[in-house]
Amino acid sequence: GHRGEISSTQFDFTGEVCLTGSIDRTCMVWEVQSGRCLNTLRGHNDEILDVAFNCAGTRIVTASADSTARVYNTMTGACTAVLVGHEGEISKVSFNPQGTKIITASSDKTCRIWTVDGEALQTL
């Protein structure tokens, strides 16, 4: 399991898999029924504050106090994009219903909308 406090969690649409994000800088993917860790997602330099699945459960996004968000392939655990541009910690993250865009909320007093490939589209 995690080596630090868990800051966020979410089920996938089936309810069979869930995510946990932690101040230990990792996100873990769990099989709910067995309690088995399927994958540990790494790459952030500071604590993870929020985690989310896309609607299909094929992608995961993590938000961190390191001012970045990261997109991962759920099956492989590979990081497919790093969202860079905020000037403060990212406290919230979410996919749009279609799974084509990500919104992030930051202590820099902005929200940003991104493609799943990490391209910044809009600052709110």
Side-chain angles (χ1 to χ4, degrees), residues 2-58:
H2 287 287
R3 285 182 254 138
E5 174 187 335
I6 295 172
S7 55
S8 55
T9 188
Q10 189 181 43
F11 282 107
D12 76 342
F13 76 99
T14 68
E16 295 173 8
V17 177
C18 70
L19 300 175
T20 53
S22 172
I23 65 169
D24 69 8
R25 305 177 188 178
T26 68
C27 173
M28 291 185 167
V29 184
W30 301 89
E31 184 179 68
V32 174
Q33 187 172 358
S34 69
R36 187 170 62 97
C37 180
L38 302 175
N39 221 327
T40 301
L41 310 178
R42 294 182 167 87
H44 283 293
N45 298 320
D46 205 340
E47 61 192 70
I48 292 176
L49 300 173
D50 199 21
V51 295
F53 278 108
N54 66 354
C55 285
T58 56

